[in-house]
Amino acid sequence: MAQLSDDCFAFGGALMSVEDAQALIAARVPAATGEDIVPLAAARGRVLARDLVAPIPLPPFFNAAVDGWAFRHSDLDAGAPTRLRETGRVPAGHAAALPVGGQEALRVFTGAPMPPGTDTCVMQEDVQRDGDTVLVPPGLKRGANARPAGEDVALGSTALAAGRVLGPAEIGLAAALGQARLAVRPLPRVGVFSTGDELAPPGAPLRAAQTHDSNRFTLLAMLAGLPCVASDLGILPDDAVRTAAALAEAARDHDLLLTSGGVSTGEEDHVRAAIEAGGSLVFWRLAVKPGRPAAMGVLPKAGGDFRAGGTPVVGLPGNPVAAVVCFLHLARPLLLRLAGAADRPLPRYGAVAGFDYRKKAGRREYVRVTLRTEGGATRAEKFPREGAGLLSSLTQSDGFAELPEEVTRVAPGDAVTVLPFAGML
Ligand code: AMP
Ligand code: MG
């Protein structure tokens, strides 16, 4: 598994921009090495370790794209219907033994090999049949309704590049190329902690001054869609010694640790200190709203010795919406690198702002918006409230409008970039 040493980041000063944080991650986090060979049925969500070079073309042979008749295009009259005589039949899965002669056609079915000599098909819906003849209308182009070998994937081309996260489409393509197994990267082990004396797990009754822990479950649910094996490491109390001990221990058998809460400036915030005590802090505080208190660091993997490599730790903010924002922009790219995955930028779409909003320059903001399509344009309306603790804002809106650092005002009608929650949250 990838290893991180303590000198692989430079401490970036006060507030780090999202872009700089991501550049650090891309430059310094070593991509996964090693391979597991898995059957195709177990490959979903894994990261391809080697380029898949097409050992066969797709389709493998020239074949009919319709149920109909195959013939030589040169036999057709360009301006009038042409009568051809049916001389045989080729179902899918059967080789066409008969070559076709002049003014002849062979009955073919979708996926059947094109009989030798033929180059074009007509759909059965488009002909008039009369005994053993068919009347083919004029106007068909040479090659119509037929699929050349390799039109989908050429023999020897790179069908899937190493680093690709395998989803249903990739798995289908690998199957079509005859691969029963694939070489994939080992999955990084990700441990998730919540922190806070006020937290009670869901299922437990709330005592006075308690609130249910939600971040751990949001984070584990987001991790379920990423290439990793996530483990739930529970809730840490607001206690410096116990936080440091728990993080140090978890660093030994995980490849990434995520915490939420306890990373602000208060004296009850112990995550940053625990990273500094046991390892090294890479940066603290991100120029993003919601999400400012976020920390990233490295803890030694084995017994305080960095030469054995390090485990990155991302200290996410406690407020649930801030935790989600920082997860998406810090933890996700870091995890994808550890997993050996190629960069997968979050999907972004253009929309038109339906709101007026002012912000400070120098930090990026993610504003929750609902989306509505109107006259061909997507209009983004701001969710009426802004609190970083408003979990229901995520279920009642459709995405984040991404307002760049330099922007200070968004006016109705302005173009905005939106990161939709679909597929992300
Ligand atoms: P903190 O950064 O620890 O001061 O937490 C900021 C806010 O987020 C506080 O209101 C916490 O109660 C809340 N919070 C922290 N962790 C969680 C969590 N795991 N689930 C829900 N809320 C949390
Ligand atoms: Mg706290």
Side-chain angles (χ1 to χ4, degrees), residues 28-255:
R28 307 292 180 83
V29 176
T33 53
E35 289 181 12
D36 295 337
I37 305 292
V38 296
L40 217 43
R44 194 195 153 103
R46 302 296 298 262
V47 176
L48 194 63
R50 285 184 241 160
D51 286 352
L52 173 52
V53 175
I56 53 168
L58 282 184
F61 53 89
F62 187 30
N63 71 96
V66 294
D67 291 343
W69 283 265
F71 47 82
R72 303 189 309 208
H73 187 263
S74 57
D75 284 348
L76 296 186
D77 187 325
T82 306
R83 187 163 300 280
L84 302 175
R85 196 164 54 84
E86 182 184 312
T87 56
R89 198 169 179 275
V90 194
H94 296 267
L98 298 171
V100 78
Q103 304 303 123
E104 289 179 356
L106 286 176
R107 179 82 170 116
V108 290
F109 298 89
T110 306
M114 290 290 282
T118 66
D119 53 14
T120 305
C121 283
V122 63
M123 282 173 83
Q124 62 188 20
E125 292 84 346
D126 293 343
V127 300
Q128 282 174 33
R129 222 172 163 176
D130 182 9
D132 67 349
T133 69
V134 286
L135 196 60
V136 181
L140 280 170
K141 291 205 176 80
R142 181 186 303 279
N145 301 312
R147 305 183 284 215
E151 75 161 3
D152 185 3
V153 178
L155 173 69
S157 66
T158 301
L160 294 171
R164 184 88 178 209
V165 179
L166 301 169
E170 289 77 13
I171 289 170
L173 185 57
L177 289 168
Q179 310 301 296
R181 303 165 195 288
L182 290 171
V184 296
R185 295 295 181 204
L187 292 169
R189 301 157 299 170
V190 184
V192 181
F193 288 105
S194 287
T195 73
D197 284 349
E198 77 280 26
L199 300 179
L206 283 183
R207 294 198 311 269
Q210 281 194 320
T211 188
H212 286 302
D213 174 7
S214 63
N215 288 346
R216 205 157 31 106
F217 300 92
T218 312
L219 295 172
L220 288 166
M222 287 194 288
L223 289 168
L226 289 166
C228 67
V229 179
S231 39
D232 180 347
L233 301 180
I235 301 172
L236 292 173
D238 287 321
D239 176 285
V241 174
R242 289 174 67 183
T243 301
L247 289 182
E249 192 188 332
R252 295 198 185 113
D253 52 9
H254 289 87
D255 304 300

Side-chain angles (χ1 to χ4, degrees), residues 337-358:
R337 274 213 54 90
L338 288 173
D343 191 26
R344 282 160 72 84
L346 292 166
R348 286 174 162 81
Y349 298 101
V352 177
F355 58 92
D356 200 336
Y357 185 72
R358 285 172 199 277

Side-chain angles (χ1 to χ4, degrees), residues 243-295:
T243 301
L247 289 182
E249 192 188 332
R252 295 198 185 113
D253 52 9
H254 289 87
D255 304 300
L256 172 63
L257 296 180
L258 302 181
T259 64
S260 66
V263 79
S264 248
T265 38
E267 64 246 36
E268 296 294 343
D269 293 320
H270 302 293
V271 170
R272 176 189 164 192
I275 298 172
E276 283 175 320
S280 63
L281 192 70
V282 172
F283 64 79
W284 175 61
R285 300 204 303 167
L286 203 60
V288 66
K289 185 187 172 188
R292 192 161 90 137

Side-chain angles (χ1 to χ4, degrees), residues 251-395:
R252 295 198 185 113
D253 52 9
H254 289 87
D255 304 300
L256 172 63
L257 296 180
L258 302 181
T259 64
S260 66
V263 79
S264 248
T265 38
E267 64 246 36
E268 296 294 343
D269 293 320
H270 302 293
V271 170
R272 176 189 164 192
I275 298 172
E276 283 175 320
S280 63
L281 192 70
V282 172
F283 64 79
W284 175 61
R285 300 204 303 167
L286 203 60
V288 66
K289 185 187 172 188
R292 192 161 90 137
M296 207 166 116
V298 189
L299 287 171
K301 213 164 206 142
D305 181 0
F306 270 113
R307 284 168 301 186
T311 297
V313 186
V314 180
L316 300 165
N319 276 310
V321 182
V324 165
V325 166
C326 291
F327 175 88
L328 291 171
H329 298 286
L330 283 184
R332 180 183 178 278
L334 172 43
L335 172 58
L336 288 173
R337 274 213 54 90
L338 288 173
D343 191 26
R344 282 160 72 84
L346 292 166
R348 286 174 162 81
Y349 298 101
V352 177
F355 58 92
D356 200 336
Y357 185 72
R358 285 172 199 277
K359 72 178 265 298
K360 279 194 193 140
R363 72 177 179 208
R364 193 184 283 189
E365 286 198 26
Y366 288 97
V367 172
R368 281 146 273 175
V369 292
T370 54
L371 299 173
R372 166 164 68 87
T373 301
E374 194 182 80
T378 302
R379 223 174 141 74
E381 296 293 347
K382 189 176 158 302
F383 186 77
R385 289 170 299 141
E386 279 160 37
L390 300 173
L391 255 177
S392 67
S393 67
L394 296 178
T395 62

